[in-house]
């Protein structure tokens, strides 16, 4: 199976931007992203949807625009991506950690 490609565009102590490509056959198991302190936010923009599968699921999102733009708290709420059955999923992920 092909690997996830995670390209770091920018990273600071409390802010990061990554371009992530998930290959066919990949899935993201349900999880939380723990942080030792502060409030963790993610703003994910799906640039390319797979033809089949690769659906983002979360217990709660702050907002979801057209199932393509998601703003959520990955530290508080479980999230996952269903198996990508055909194609690939590419997203721009902006992570923010507030005190």
């Amino acid at each position: 199976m092909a690997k996830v490609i995670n390209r770091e565009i920018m990273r600071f102590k409390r802010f990061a931007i990554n371009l992530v490509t998930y290959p066919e056959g990949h899935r993201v198991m349900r999880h939380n992203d723990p942080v030792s302190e502060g409030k963790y936010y993610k703003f994910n923009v799906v640039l390319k949807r797979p033809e089949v599968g690769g659906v983002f699921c979360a217990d709660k999102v702050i907002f979801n625009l057209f199932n393509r733009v998601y703003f959520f708290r990955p530290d508080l709420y479980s999230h996952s991506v269903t198996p990508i059955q055909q194609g690939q999923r590419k997203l721009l992920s902006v992570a923010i950690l507030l005190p």
Side-chain angles (χ1 to χ4, degrees):
M1 177 168 42
K3 290 185 175 185
V4 172
I5 300 169
N6 188 349
R7 297 181 196 257
E8 187 174 278
I9 295 172
M10 182 182 303
R11 179 167 302 279
F12 298 99
K13 184 176 180 180
R14 298 190 174 270
F15 181 79
I17 301 174
N18 289 13
L19 180 62
V20 188
T21 303
Y22 299 93
E24 190 170 303
H26 187 77
R27 71 178 186 183
V28 177
M29 301 296 288
R30 182 163 288 280
H31 70 286
N32 290 60
D33 299 344
V35 292
S36 58
E37 62 181 63
K39 297 177 181 177
Y40 190 37
Y41 294 89
K42 274 201 176 174
F43 182 78
N44 286 348
V45 179
V46 179
L47 303 173
K48 181 179 181 182
R49 292 182 184 156
E51 288 81 28
V52 181
V55 176
F56 176 77
C57 304
D59 290 344
K60 184 175 178 180
V61 296
I62 297 168
F63 72 80
N64 169 356
L65 187 60
F66 307 117
N67 291 324
R68 192 174 282 275
V69 178
Y70 301 94
F71 186 57
F72 66 106
R73 290 281 308 268
D75 57 335
L76 295 182
Y77 301 105
S78 292
H79 52 286
S80 61
V81 177
T82 64
I84 298 169
Q85 298 167 351
Q86 184 179 351
Q88 63 177 213
R89 180 176 189 261
K90 186 173 287 200
L91 66 88
L92 184 68
S93 182
V94 179
I96 304 163
L97 180 61
L98 298 178

